[in-house]
Structure formats: C-alpha cells, structure tokens
C-alpha cells in the first residue's frame, strides 16, 4: 500500500479509521462507531484490539466535540492530571507507530497515588463519564431526527435487511450429508482391506504353468491398487459451496461508487488461423459486457503470434462492443457473447417486458451478421501473406511480420480515455499486447505470454485480481466475477486464498459425449474432494487469481520476516549458538529453497519510507522482479492501483519495457514468480507452487456455469489433447518441482493435497501396466493358459468382495456427487482408451525429451470430413497414437474367436475356463468400444455395435457349422466310421 494511503473499510469500502492490531481488519469511523454502539468493540474477524490508523482524523471534525474535549482538558489540568493524560496519549501513539514498541507496564508507576478504590485512575473515570454523556446526547439527537422524519415501514425493513446482509458471510460451505458420506468412507476402508487380502492371495498362489503371465498380472494389479489409492483418498472430504452475491452488493455497493475490487482479464491467443478470430472476438465481447462496474474491468489480449489479423479483428471487436455492451446491460441478456446468444433455440422473449426489445434485438442481430462478414473478410484476406509482408492502413509495414523477430506492441482500444458506447457511457479498457521476440531467447510459450501480461497490467491498471481465460472460453454467466469476489473479498475467507477456480463446461459436444470431453468426473467429483482439503488444482482457464500470490508472496497467516538490526552484528552482544541436528539442517535447507521469493507485505507496511527503501534494496527486488521501478512499486501495493509517483505519459513506454524479451533474464520469473516454466502444463505447476507456500484455493460452481468453451470432439484431436496434458505431467515428474520430493520443508502442503498432485504426475505411467494387462486376456485365449489358478472357496470370497467393493464405491460416489452413470461410464472407457494410446506415447516422449533432449512430434493428417450436426465427430485423422489401441482391439477380437474355436474342438469340459477368459477379453473390448466406433467412422450410419456383433457371431456360428456339419447324414457317418476301422 502507498505511504499515507488508507486501506478500504472491510464493511463499506470507505477510507479506514481503525484497523485490528492482529489481522489488520479495517473499519471506517462510522462502521466502528456502529459496532461499538452494538457492543462489538473487538475485531469481528479475530477478536483482537483495534488501533486508530488515522490520528488526524481521529481527533474529530465537529466543533462541538472539540469544545467538549477542551473543557475536559481544562478541568483535568486544574486538578494536575493533564500532564499525565498527555504522557499516556504519547505512549499510546508511540505504541501504534513502532512495530516492536515497549509495553506501557514498564512506565505505569507515574501518578499511582491518584487512583480510586478499584485501582483505576481518577482521570480515566472522568473521561469515561464524559464519553457516556456525549453518547447519550448523540442517541437522543438520533431519536429526535427519526421522529421528525420516519421512513415507511417497508423501506425501514429493507434498510435493516441490507445492513444485516452487509455483515453476513459472503459464502458458506455446504458439507455433504453424513447419510451419503459415511457409507462412502466405510466402503473405501472395506475396499482397502479386501484389496490387501486379494493381493495376499495373488502373491501366495502363483500359477506355475503360466508363471510369466501370472507375474505380469500381479505387478499390474499392484500398480493399479497404488494408483487407486492416489486417486481415491483426496476425495475423502468433498464439500459444496454457496455464494451470496446480494450480500456482496449490500456490503460494497454497486455502480460508480462501488467498493468492489478491480479485475484484470487475460485472454491468450497464438495463431488466428487455428484459433479463429471470431471465437476470440466473442470471448472479448463477453468480458466487456460482464455485470461489473466498467471502471473496474480491464481486458488484456495477448497475441503471441504477432498477427495483424488478430490486431485488426480486435479493432473491429472494439467498435462492435460500442453497440453490444449497452444492449446486453439494458436487457440483461445471457450469455453475453453474440454467437451463442443468437444461436440459442429458446424463447428469447421470456422475462423480457421492455417494449423495444424485439426491435433492438433484430437490429443487433443484423449488426452482428455484418460484424461477422467483416471478420471473415479479414480471415480470407490473411490466407495468403504478401511477399513484402503486411502493411497497416497508414502505409507503414506491420511490425510483427516476422513472428519470431519483432518488437513489443501495445495498443489501448477502449477505456477511460477511449471511445464510449453509443449511449455515451464508459466502456471497460481493452488492451492489445504482443510481447517482443528475438532469436536466441527462450520465450516459454503460453507461460511466458501470461507473465508478460502480468507485468503489463501491473504497470497500466494493477488490479488486485486477475482472471485468465483461453481465447475459446467465453463468459457464460455475467455475474461470474461477483461470484469470485464473494470469496476473494470476504475477510473471513479471502485472506489465504490464492485463486478461485471455476469448472470447465463445453459447447458443441455430442449428446453421448463419446470421448468424455466434458470431464464430468474430474470437475464434479475430484475437484470437490480437493476443495475440502487445500483447494482445487489450477486447470489453466476460468481462474481468478490474487495478484500478490503470483508475485511469490506468502499468505498473511505466515509469520512476519525477522527485522534485521545493527546489534545483530555487534560483538558486544552475546550470541546464543544453538546446535542443529542433521535433520533440522536438512529441513531448513528445504525451507530456504521453498521460500526463496516469499516476502511478507504486512511486515513491509510497518516501516517508514527510508526503512522501506532499505528493505527493498536488502531483498533485492530487482533481482526477483526485474529492473522496472514502476513495476516493483506496484508489487508492494496490496490493494492494487497505479502508484501515484508514476507518470501517466510514460506508462506505455514502461509497459513496452517490461515485455521486452530480455526483461526476465537473471530474475525469478518462471522460477518463483508468475506462471512457472518447465512444463507444457504450466497450470498444474503454478498452482502447486502456490499451495506449497501455504495458500489455499476455492472451487466455485455457480448454478449457471460461469464460463464455457469448445473442445475437440473427434478421436484424433481428443487424443492429442490428452497427449499434451500427459506429457506435461511427465515433464513435472522429471523436474525439481516433482511433488514426490519438493516442498516438504515449509510443511504447508497438506498430505492429501500432496497425494492428489502426485497422482497428476504419475497417472501417465499407468499406461505401461495397462497395455500389458489389456493384452493378457488375448494371450490367455490364444495359448490356452490363465493367470488365476483354480479358485478355492476363500479365494472366491476375496474376488467377489473386491468386485462388490468396486461397484459400491462407484455407486456411492455417484450418489454424493450427483453425476450420471453414463458420465461415469464414459470416463471409465476413456481412461482405458487414453491410457493405451496418448499416455503411453507421452511417457516415451517425455523420457526421450528429459533424458536425451530429443523432442518428438506426432503429426495428424485429416482423411475425411462430412457436413451436418457434429460432422467433426466423424472426421478421421490418422496418427501414430492410434496404433497401440488398434492392435489391442484386433488382438482381443482374434483371441475371442480362437478361444471359441479351441473350446469347440476340445469338448464341453473346456467351456468353463473359456468363460473366464472371454469375460476378461470382453472387458477390454467394451472399454475400447468408443475407440472402435471412432475408428470405423459413420459407416453409412450403420450402428457400429451391429457390425461388431455381426463379425463375432458370424465367426462363432461358422465354427459351429464346420464342427456339426448338418448336411452329413447319420448313415454316411456310420459308414464312414465303419470304413475307417477296416484296414483296406
């Protein structure tokens, strides 16, 4: 916070008059007087004592109070007590100003003879009596004013309700019912016990005739059990949350004078030919039209491909926003992205009673169609790049013609000084950013672009909160920012919250969700479980950050930094040397590594300007944040805002400086600050570092989804998306930030949270045992051997108990989470499909990249395309990732046919063992069925299940036909048998 500035009141947002000594909970003079009048003299958050933060204002502004104070002072002076009162006040002021102040008890001997019988000073009794009289006068004056003008009863009730809401919590935790959660936990424990007994049986009962197959199966099953533990126990304490946006408005107000905190939106894009500008434009329009005070919203668009197409489409978007934004706010439409709003197949007249709505909607739809024509014209023009490069409208060459070698570019389109909407109202700020790129520099892809946006926004607007979105994720709920602020701005919740994560929801997915694109199990089950521990993981989009957490600061609950003093190096001071054990030294070294960039803002705020400048120099801020004085000063402003010392005329120049390609060299960016480098899944790594520092995160699931995006729905694109995620996990596994060994020193990452992070980096390695396990049933059918010996009664109980516990765990999980059985089954299917394809390639690709530095890429080639609904679903793109699952599928189909053939030739006694093998093989085929369906395509709309079962049944009946051969008569059979017995 700036020197001399006052923090906002936690209740109404005005300048604070007093703050709690313990937790810095601030209140203005009016709110503090109201709390005292209602008997709440202690801090509402921690119960501590308030300290006046504005002595000049604390003296009072009313002439009547000054005269009464002067009269009391004169009276006390006449009795010889004035000097002692002045001394007490000086001591009290000294105690407030100095962070390590002495206590008053050491100087309490003065005037001890002038105490009453209870030991309380006489002057203090008289001051208290005077204050009581003054309060009585104020109360009587308020009553007289109320009698003179009594408001209507209804208005009075509403005012009282608003006042009550302002002091109520802005959110609450809704625990899962014990009737649902207790049986779920009991079954988990039962499954763990049965799993142990099952492994004991499997290990102590080898199959000698198929020892290799048995050993492989046991190793795979043990790994699956370990993987299940990592996935299951982080779901031990799931919770739901509920927000109260009306209370947020009652506490902080709405409109121009609102006390709501500013928010900076980040939107990232790279290639406009792969990420259509129309989709990015719709995302930006939904942000500009969000239901939040316009002066507190800024949208930064990162163009990491320096494409002139993106720049021009953003200029068109800014112009169209002048019509779109007032239309959205006038009629409160949802969603506020035109493409999806106009494509909704609903009754758009519902709840719209404004007489001009139909006319204005029709005109707006026409304007949007014209806007689409202009954007598509720009896209068509950009398909062929001129030999001399792109040229701007003024005739100068486009600076970003070479996407790998260009200067930094910033353009502010809308905002306080920009164009207003067609109703004359101010629009949120819209800023185009393309960071500098030069050969020979490492730019770190999306993570580097996001860190550049962090610095640019800090220089230009410096909102205390950041909300990042992918270019294809639009704001589906205009109140999404308010939902996040219900957590961030609630003093009882937001103090230690680093980010609020929203679930991802998608448009354009087929109804059956063939390839589990919605990820319902992850977002509605796993993330709720993590919310009950230390918070959900960061998933890369739809997340509202506390800016200070991105700067490497620890939460306020961390202990203050020790303040160095001159006597620390004085030879006259005795040194108490404490011997440390080897374990303590190892722990301290871990802690130093963990806290290398953690500072405590509240410790810094206690210093004056000279001490503060010395402390900044001591902490080497430039080595951490880079050489920009404006940016460094902004990092110390806990509540955001542009520093007063900053010159507005030079801010753009400073913003260009902080996005230069060499700015991050020899700094902590990407190591301890901002988005963390070292993995293509920078989101997991960034959230992990924050949780290691002691922060917690919140999972917010509003009834109307906050954000929606698009997802690849055809098989090949979906597998390559999963391949990228799995590769990032493998990279983290081989890095210094691996959860298996990183972050133990501080002791701030909870154990169940660590298990969840270990699961996120270990799950790709499950692909190796999964591939082997899926091949086992086919091998058993082809060789006639099996991995399980003849079952005894006890073994049968363990097998049945294991299968029963697996089923019960899934059923009870569906019960408390509320997801459907189809979503659960799709997730199970794609776990196998992704495990035997994308995850397997990610493991080998990650090993090659991390061990020998070989970076391999898998190309995708489009083979066919069709028109119609969900046409992309049937697009077949051949890629090497498809080879392993195809091989496993064919192998199991051949194994089933061979098994039936062998059973027919061996007699009826072989049918019993056959069913166990076939069941095992059919388990694999059923899980790979969506893959088979995608592999075969539309097939003239013939259901794939018909083709699959036709092939199987045809093979089986063919073998039966050959075995029985009904066209041979009985006489011929007898004759043949008799002839065969005669030696001719």
């Amino acid at each position: 916070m700036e020197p001399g500035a006052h923090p906002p009141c936690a209740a109404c947002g005005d300048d604070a008059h007093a703050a709690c000594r313990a937790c810095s909970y601030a209140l203005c003079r009016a709110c503090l007087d109201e709390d005292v009048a209602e008997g709440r003299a202690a801090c509402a958050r921690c119960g501590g004592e308030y300290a006046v933060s504005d002595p000049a204002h604390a003296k009072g502004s009313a002439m009547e109070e000054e005269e009464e104070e002067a009269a009391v002072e004169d009276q006390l002076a006449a009795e010889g007590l004035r000097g002692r009162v002045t001394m007490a006040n000086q001591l009290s002021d000294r105690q407030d100003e100095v962070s390590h102040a002495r206590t008053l008890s050491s100087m309490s001997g003065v005037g001890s003879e002038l105490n009453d019988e209870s030991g309380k000073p006489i002057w203090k009794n008289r001051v208290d009596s005077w204050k009581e009289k003054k309060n009585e006068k104020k109360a009587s004056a308020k009553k007289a004013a109320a009698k003179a003008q009594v408001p209507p009863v209804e208005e009075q009730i509403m005012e009282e309700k608003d006042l009550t809401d302002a002091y109520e919590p802005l959110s609450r935790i809704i625990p899962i019912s014990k009737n649902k959660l207790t049986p779920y936990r009991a079954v988990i424990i039962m499954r763990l016990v049965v799993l142990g007994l099952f492994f004991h049986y499997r290990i102590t009962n080898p199959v000698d005739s198929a020892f290799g197959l048995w050993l492989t199966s046991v190793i795979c099953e043990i790994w699956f059990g370990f993987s299940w533990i990592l996935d299951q126990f982080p779901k031990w304490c799931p919770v739901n949350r509920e927000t109260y946006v009306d209370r947020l408005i009652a506490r902080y107000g709405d409109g121009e004078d609102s006390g709501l905190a500013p928010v900076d939106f980040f939107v990232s894009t790279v290639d406009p030919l792969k990420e259509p500008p129309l989709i990015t434009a719709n995302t930006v329009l939904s942000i500009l039209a969000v239901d939040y005070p316009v002066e507190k919203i800024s949208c930064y668009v990162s163009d990491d491909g320096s494409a002139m197409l993106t720049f021009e489409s953003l200029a068109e978007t800014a112009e169209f926003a002048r019509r779109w934004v007032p239309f959205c706010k006038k009629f409160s439409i949802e969603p506020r992205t035109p493409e999806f709003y106009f494509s909704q197949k609903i009754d758009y007249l519902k709840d719209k009673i404004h007489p001009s709505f139909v006319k204005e909607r029709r005109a707006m739809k026409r304007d949007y169609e014209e806007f689409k024509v202009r954007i598509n014209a720009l896209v068509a023009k950009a398909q062929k790049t001129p030999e001399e490069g792109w040229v701007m409208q003024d005739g100068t060459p486009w600076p970003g013609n070479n996407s790998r070698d260009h200067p930094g570019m910033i353009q502010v389109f809308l905002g306080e000084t920009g164009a207003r909407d067609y109703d004359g109202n101010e629009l949120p700020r819209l800023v185009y950013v393309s960071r500098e790129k030069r050969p020979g520099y490492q730019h770190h892809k999306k993570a580097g672009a996001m860190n550049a946006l962090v610095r640019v926004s800090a220089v230009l607007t410096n909102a205390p909160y950041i909300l990042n979105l992918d270019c294809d994720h639009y704001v589906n709920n205009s109140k999404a920012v308010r939902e996040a602020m219900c957590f961030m701005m609630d003093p009882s919740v937001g103090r230690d919250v680093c980010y609020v994560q929203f679930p991802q929801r998608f448009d354009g997915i087929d109804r059956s969700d063939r390839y589990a694109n919605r990820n319902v199990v992850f977002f509605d089950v796993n993330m709720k479980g993590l919310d009950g521990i230390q918070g959900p993981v960061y998933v890369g989009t739809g997340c509202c950050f506390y800016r200070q957490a991105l700067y490497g600061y620890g939460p306020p609950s961390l202990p203050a930094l020790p303040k160095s003093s001159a006597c620390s190096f004085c030879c006259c001071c005795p040194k108490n040397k404490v011997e440390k054990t080897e374990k303590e030294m190892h722990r301290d070294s871990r802690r130093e590594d963990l806290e290398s960039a953690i500072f405590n803002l509240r410790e810094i705020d206690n210093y004056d300007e000279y001490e503060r400048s010395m402390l900044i120099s001591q902490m080497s801020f430039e080595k951490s944040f880079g050489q920009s004085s404006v940016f460094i000063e902004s990092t110390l402003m806990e509540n955001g805002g542009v520093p007063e010392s900053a010159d507005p005329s030079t801010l753009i120049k400073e913003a260009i400086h902080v996005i230069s390609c060499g700015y991050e060299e020899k700094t902590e960016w990407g190591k301890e600050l901002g988005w963390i480098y070292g993995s293509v899944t920078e989101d997991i790594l960034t959230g992990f570092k924050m949780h290691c520092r002691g922060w917690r995160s919140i999972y917010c699931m509003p009834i109307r989804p906050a954000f929606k995006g698009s997802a690849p729905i055809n098989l090949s694109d979906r597998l390559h998306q999963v391949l990228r995620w799995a590769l990032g996990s493998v990279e983290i596994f081989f890095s210094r930030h691996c959860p298996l060994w990183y972050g133990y020193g501080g002791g701030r990452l909870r154990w169940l949270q660590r298990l969840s992070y270990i699961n996120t980096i270990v799950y790709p390695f499950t692909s190796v045992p999964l591939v082997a396990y899926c091949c086992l049933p086919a091998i058993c059918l082809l060789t006639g051997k099996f991995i399980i010996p003849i079952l005894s009664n006890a073994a049968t109980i363990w097998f049945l108990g294991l299968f029963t516990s697996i089923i019960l765990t899934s059923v009870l999980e569906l019960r408390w989470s509320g997801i459907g059985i189809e979503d659960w089954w799709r997730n199970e299917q794609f776990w196998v499909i992704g495990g035997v394809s994308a995850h397997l390639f990610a493991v080998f690709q990650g090993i090659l990249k991390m061990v020998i530095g070989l970076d391999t890429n898998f190309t995708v080639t489009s083979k066919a395309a069709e028109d119609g609904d969900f046409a992309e679903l049937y697009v077949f793109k051949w890629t090497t990732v498809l080879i392993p699952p195809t091989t496993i599928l064919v192998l199991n189909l051949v194994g089933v046919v061979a098994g039936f053939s062998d059973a027919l030739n061996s007699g009826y006694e072989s049918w019993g063992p056959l069913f166990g093998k076939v069941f095992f093989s059919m388990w694999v085929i059923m899980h790979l069925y969506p893959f088979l369906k995608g592999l075969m395509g539309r097939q003239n709309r013939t259901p794939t299940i018909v083709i699959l079962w036709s092939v199987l049944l045809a093979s089986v009946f063919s073998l039966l036909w050959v075995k029985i051969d009904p066209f041979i008569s009985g006489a011929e059979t007898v004759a043949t048998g008799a002839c065969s017995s005669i030696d001719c």
Side-chain angles (χ1 to χ4, degrees), residues 103-138:
T103 60
L104 290 175
S105 59
S106 60
M107 307 185 72
S108 60
V110 182
S112 59
E113 70 280 359
L114 297 176
N115 294 342
D116 60 10
E117 296 179 355
S118 61
K120 191 174 182 180
I122 299 174
W123 66 267
K124 193 169 184 179
N125 291 337
R126 298 194 178 185
V127 172
D128 291 341
S129 176
W130 163 71
K131 288 182 177 180
E132 289 178 3
K133 293 179 180 179
K134 186 177 68 172
N135 290 335
E136 290 177 359
K137 289 181 180 179
K138 286 185 177 181

Side-chain angles (χ1 to χ4, degrees), residues 136-156:
E136 290 177 359
K137 289 181 180 179
K138 286 185 177 181
S140 60
K142 288 182 179 179
K143 289 181 180 179
K147 289 180 180 179
Q149 186 177 2
V150 179
V153 177
E154 296 177 356
E155 294 182 6
Q156 190 173 359

Side-chain angles (χ1 to χ4, degrees), residues 348-647:
Y348 62 84
L349 294 177
K350 185 179 181 181
D351 299 330
K352 298 294 186 295
I353 59 176
H354 202 285
S356 63
F357 172 69
V358 175
K359 181 180 178 180
E360 293 192 34
R361 184 184 186 276
R362 189 180 298 115
M364 182 54 62
K365 188 174 183 179
R366 183 173 57 252
D367 291 342
Y368 177 63
E369 293 298 331
E370 295 174 357
F371 169 73
K372 288 173 64 175
V373 170
R374 294 193 297 272
I375 294 295
N376 290 331
L378 293 174
V379 174
K381 176 184 174 183
Q383 296 297 323
K384 187 177 180 180
T385 306
E387 294 182 0
E388 64 278 6
W390 297 107
V391 179
M392 294 187 289
Q393 293 182 355
D394 59 357
T396 58
W398 171 248
N401 276 321
N402 187 347
S403 61
R404 299 183 179 180
D405 187 3
H406 64 85
M409 295 177 284
I410 296 177
Q411 175 66 46
V412 180
F413 287 104
L414 301 172
E416 184 178 354
T417 59
R420 294 178 175 263
D421 66 24
Y422 283 91
D423 291 342
N425 300 316
E426 181 183 344
L427 288 168
R429 180 175 302 197
L430 176 61
V431 184
Y432 169 88
V433 179
S434 182
R435 57 181 173 145
E436 181 186 17
K437 286 189 176 181
R438 301 296 181 190
Y441 288 90
Q442 180 63 260
H443 301 293
H444 302 289
K445 299 182 180 179
K446 180 182 176 181
M450 299 304 292
N451 285 336
L453 288 184
V454 171
R455 297 191 294 271
V456 168
S457 62
V459 171
L460 297 181
T461 52
N462 196 32
Y465 300 106
I466 295 170
L467 203 158
N468 84 292
L469 293 173
D470 288 342
C471 64
D472 59 346
H473 276 70
Y474 63 89
V475 181
N476 183 66
N477 184 349
S478 62
K479 297 185 184 296
V481 183
R482 296 178 186 266
E483 297 276 354
M485 292 301 108
C486 285
F487 299 106
M488 290 296 197
M489 299 188 69
D490 191 342
S492 61
V493 178
R495 296 176 64 242
D496 295 337
V497 174
C498 55
Y499 61 82
V500 175
Q501 178 66 61
F502 293 88
Q504 292 186 18
R505 302 295 188 228
F506 301 98
D507 286 317
I509 298 177
D510 60 305
R511 184 174 300 177
S512 63
D513 192 13
R514 181 187 296 180
Y515 306 122
N517 282 282
R518 292 190 179 93
N519 266 336
V520 176
V521 173
F522 174 76
F523 287 112
D524 290 18
V525 180
N526 296 67
M527 296 286 266
K528 285 183 180 180
L530 293 176
D531 198 18
I533 307 172
Q534 200 172 343
V537 297
Y538 169 44
V539 296
T541 183
C543 186
C544 183
F545 284 97
Y546 180 41
R547 185 184 286 269
Q548 297 297 326
L550 286 170
Y551 290 157
Y553 294 114
S557 60
L558 287 180
L561 291 174
K563 188 176 180 180
S564 59
S565 59
C567 65
S568 300
F569 307 98
C570 182
C571 59
C572 62
C573 296
K575 296 181 180 180
N576 298 327
K577 189 173 182 180
V578 181
E579 296 292 336
K580 293 185 177 180
T581 63
E582 183 178 352
K583 183 177 180 181
E584 290 175 338
M585 294 175 63
H586 178 71
R587 180 193 63 196
D588 291 344
S589 65
R590 292 271 190 171
R591 184 171 297 170
E592 289 175 3
D593 178 61
L594 176 67
E595 298 180 342
S596 57
I598 295 178
F599 313 120
N600 195 316
L601 283 179
R602 301 195 183 283
E603 179 72 9
I604 297 173
D605 287 340
N606 290 331
Y607 294 91
D608 57 26
E609 291 186 8
Y610 174 76
E611 290 176 320
R612 186 178 178 133
S613 62
M614 294 297 292
L615 187 63
I616 292 175
S617 175
Q618 179 183 349
M619 290 180 173
S620 303
F621 269 45
E622 288 188 355
K623 292 182 179 180
S624 296
F625 294 102
Q627 297 185 359
S628 170
S629 58
V630 176
F631 173 69
I632 290 176
E633 188 172 357
S634 72
T635 64
L636 300 176
M637 303 176 68
E638 188 175 0
N639 294 319
V642 179
E644 292 181 356
S645 58
D647 184 2

Side-chain angles (χ1 to χ4, degrees), residues 55-260:
H57 189 265
K59 293 178 181 178
S61 58
M63 293 298 297
E64 181 181 357
E65 292 182 2
E66 290 180 358
E67 292 175 359
E68 290 180 0
E69 288 176 0
V72 173
E73 290 284 339
D74 294 338
Q75 184 179 0
L76 294 174
E79 300 181 14
L81 300 176
R82 182 175 182 178
R84 293 180 177 84
V85 173
T86 304
M87 179 187 296
N89 288 335
Q90 290 175 350
L91 291 175
S92 178
D93 291 342
R94 181 63 176 166
Q95 186 183 21
D96 292 340
E97 293 172 0
V98 183
S99 60
H100 53 279
R102 305 177 183 89
T103 60
L104 290 175
S105 59
S106 60
M107 307 185 72
S108 60
V110 182
S112 59
E113 70 280 359
L114 297 176
N115 294 342
D116 60 10
E117 296 179 355
S118 61
K120 191 174 182 180
I122 299 174
W123 66 267
K124 193 169 184 179
N125 291 337
R126 298 194 178 185
V127 172
D128 291 341
S129 176
W130 163 71
K131 288 182 177 180
E132 289 178 3
K133 293 179 180 179
K134 186 177 68 172
N135 290 335
E136 290 177 359
K137 289 181 180 179
K138 286 185 177 181
S140 60
K142 288 182 179 179
K143 289 181 180 179
K147 289 180 180 179
Q149 186 177 2
V150 179
V153 177
E154 296 177 356
E155 294 182 6
Q156 190 173 359
I157 293 174
M158 291 298 296
E159 290 178 0
E160 292 177 357
K161 183 179 182 300
D162 291 341
L163 188 61
T164 304
D165 287 347
Y167 284 95
E168 292 291 332
L170 303 181
S171 65
R172 72 183 181 102
I173 295 176
I174 305 176
I176 305 297
S177 172
K178 292 184 178 180
N179 295 333
K180 297 179 180 179
L181 205 55
T182 303
Y184 176 66
R185 292 173 176 173
V187 170
I188 292 175
I189 298 300
M190 182 188 74
R191 181 174 174 180
L192 192 62
V193 173
V194 173
L195 193 63
L197 295 173
F198 172 79
F199 285 148
H200 177 267
Y201 168 79
R202 293 284 284 130
I203 294 172
T204 56
N205 290 272
V207 181
D208 297 330
S209 60
F211 187 80
L213 297 177
W214 168 82
L215 183 61
T216 302
S217 66
V218 170
I219 293 174
C220 293
E221 288 164 1
I222 291 175
W223 179 265
F224 295 152
F226 170 70
S227 178
W228 170 76
I229 291 174
L230 292 179
D231 179 70
Q232 186 66 67
F233 279 91
K235 296 182 283 189
W236 186 260
C237 305
V239 296
N240 292 315
R241 293 182 185 270
E242 186 178 33
T243 57
Y244 303 102
V245 177
D246 52 343
R247 295 179 183 177
L248 179 77
I249 298 174
R251 179 177 296 187
Y252 295 103
D254 204 357
E256 296 181 358
D257 298 330
S258 171
L260 294 172

Side-chain angles (χ1 to χ4, degrees), residues 29 45 50 152 160 194 289 295 305 318 353 362 381 404 477 487 628 658 674 882 919 924 926 967:
R29 184 183 183 89
R45 180 190 294 169
Y50 285 112
E160 292 177 357
V194 173
E295 69 277 3
I353 59 176
R362 189 180 298 115
K381 176 184 174 183
R404 299 183 179 180
N477 184 349
F487 299 106
S628 170
V658 298
L882 302 176
F919 173 80
V924 177
M926 289 178 64
F967 291 101

